[in-house]
Amino acid sequence: MATADDRCQCSDGLCGSEHAKTGSRCIETTARGRLIVAPLDLTLSDVAAAAVPAEDLRAWCLSCHAKAHKRQLAAQRELKQQAADEPLALF
């Protein structure tokens, strides 16, 4: 949390919000609510997430974390769907 200055590190639309009124970064802090620590890639399995080095973790407020997770899962599903829709090569 010290690295994040006790502030949510969601920025530049990771959660769907541009946080335009606050310099492109969420304003939630530990003083205003609870923050959690998680990797930037929220689609990792629990085992893979536990192996992420500490310097690659981010502080998230619960709202940004939930929204970013939902967006990343949707993007992952879309990529899988696009890959499944591609025709198989003949050669």
Side-chain angles (χ1 to χ4, degrees):
M1 287 299 167
T3 302
D5 199 26
D6 291 319
R7 184 175 166 195
C8 179
Q9 291 180 294
C10 182
S11 61
D12 301 322
L14 292 173
C15 70
S17 171
E18 295 296 324
H19 301 295
K21 295 179 182 177
T22 58
S24 297
R25 186 170 168 196
C26 181
I27 62 169
E28 291 301 320
T29 65
T30 53
R32 293 176 45 149
R34 194 174 99 189
L35 299 181
I36 60 172
V37 176
L40 181 59
D41 182 355
L42 299 173
T43 64
L44 293 174
S45 69
D46 292 342
V47 173
V52 172
E55 59 270 8
D56 293 336
L57 297 173
R58 298 179 77 106
W60 295 90
C61 71
L62 298 178
S63 176
C64 287
H65 181 269
K67 292 174 186 175
H69 185 238
K70 185 176 178 179
R71 288 173 54 90
Q72 287 181 17
L73 287 175
Q76 188 178 55
R77 278 192 304 270
E78 179 66 25
L79 285 174
K80 285 181 183 178
Q81 183 62 42
Q82 287 175 359
D85 290 345
E86 292 179 12
L88 298 174
L90 294 176
F91 302 100

